[in-house]
Amino acid sequence: MSIRYLSCFLQLFALLVILFDGSVLAQSLPQYPLPKFGTITVDPDIQIDGSGMNVDTIGFWGGPDGTETLMLVTAKGNQVVEVWKYPFKGNELSPLTHSTFSGGRLNGLAVDQEADLLYVSIGNGSNTVSVFSLPGLDFVRNFNKPGVNYRIEPNLAILNLTNGGKNIYVSADSPVYIHDAATGKYISEVKPAAALETMAPDTYYQRL
């Protein structure tokens, strides 16, 4: 090792010793007090009731410039998807209706922002998932596993896969049915230990 490199190494070593000396480090860092816990009051800008009794699921589709953003709502007691346009307050559009909604309770919503698609799950009677384009809300397709009973309140979750595909999960108490989100093709199903309704996808860890 040359004299110049040895000198640089020794200077760096001396600097590290100083930095990791507890007393020197503690004196060099500014001290910040921890914030106290407090209370805030949130005053809602808008309350959604629409034509249903109780809100089931809310989904958002983000428009290209924000002003086209849609809020989509399902609620107990009706067979429509309520549609609200930004800034939402006082800006309710005509609700989404479709023949596949008849005979079953609408519950779950899932928005695929990249594909501009809305998925709506309909319970027993229809037992299907209907797909609509966004923002026009034109019917694209519907799918299910033939012969299944989605029970009263099936819910939905979309998981982006590492291979670029997407799975959509339909909870029907138990089991949970897995479909290819792009085609609706049935893939498989899982049976949780207990019945469930709500699911949350974690794309980073590839978990549901």
Side-chain angles (χ1 to χ4, degrees), residues 53-66:
M53 293 182 295
N54 298 314
V55 170
D56 270 317
T57 308
I58 298 177
F60 289 91
W61 175 79
D65 63 359

Side-chain angles (χ1 to χ4, degrees), residues 25-207:
L25 186 60
Q27 292 172 11
S28 63
L29 292 178
Q31 301 299 306
Y32 295 104
L34 293 174
K36 296 180 179 179
F37 288 103
T39 302
I40 62 170
T41 301
V42 178
D43 184 17
D45 183 58
I46 180 174
Q47 290 182 306
I48 300 297
D49 51 16
S51 56
M53 293 182 295
N54 298 314
V55 170
D56 270 317
T57 308
I58 298 177
F60 289 91
W61 175 79
D65 63 359
T67 62
E68 299 297 314
T69 294
L70 298 179
M71 177 169 61
L72 307 135
V73 181
T74 61
K76 292 178 174 64
N78 61 14
Q79 292 180 318
V80 302
V81 176
E82 298 168 30
V83 183
W84 304 71
K85 187 176 179 182
Y86 185 84
F88 312 131
K89 188 173 184 178
N91 202 16
E92 184 175 10
L93 307 181
S94 298
L96 171 63
T97 62
H98 194 261
S99 59
T100 55
F101 296 173
S102 61
R105 176 182 289 176
L106 275 65
N107 188 70
L109 296 175
V111 174
D112 185 334
Q113 182 68 44
E114 294 80 15
D116 293 327
L117 293 175
L118 168 68
Y119 296 79
V120 182
S121 59
I122 306 104
N124 55 2
S126 290
N127 293 307
T128 194
V129 176
S130 293
V131 188
F132 300 87
S133 63
L134 287 163
L137 294 172
D138 298 311
F139 179 74
V140 177
R141 75 178 74 87
N142 66 300
F143 61 86
N144 63 7
K145 178 186 177 185
V148 303
N149 185 344
Y150 280 169
R151 308 294 180 182
I152 298 175
E153 296 187 331
N155 219 323
L156 299 173
I158 296 177
L159 179 65
N160 294 338
L161 306 175
T162 56
N163 64 5
K166 298 176 184 180
N167 282 350
I168 187 160
Y169 298 79
V170 187
S171 67
D173 295 341
S174 182
V176 174
Y177 299 99
I178 308 171
H179 296 261
D180 183 296
T183 64
K185 180 181 178 182
Y186 168 79
I187 299 174
S188 62
E189 58 195 68
V190 294
K191 293 185 177 181
L196 59 83
E197 178 186 356
T198 301
M199 302 169 289
D202 185 333
T203 296
Y204 184 84
Y205 287 107
Q206 292 291 286
R207 303 288 176 86

Side-chain angles (χ1 to χ4, degrees), residues 16-29 31:
L16 290 174
V17 169
I18 293 172
L19 285 177
F20 284 98
D21 179 277
S23 59
V24 174
L25 186 60
Q27 292 172 11
S28 63
L29 292 178
Q31 301 299 306

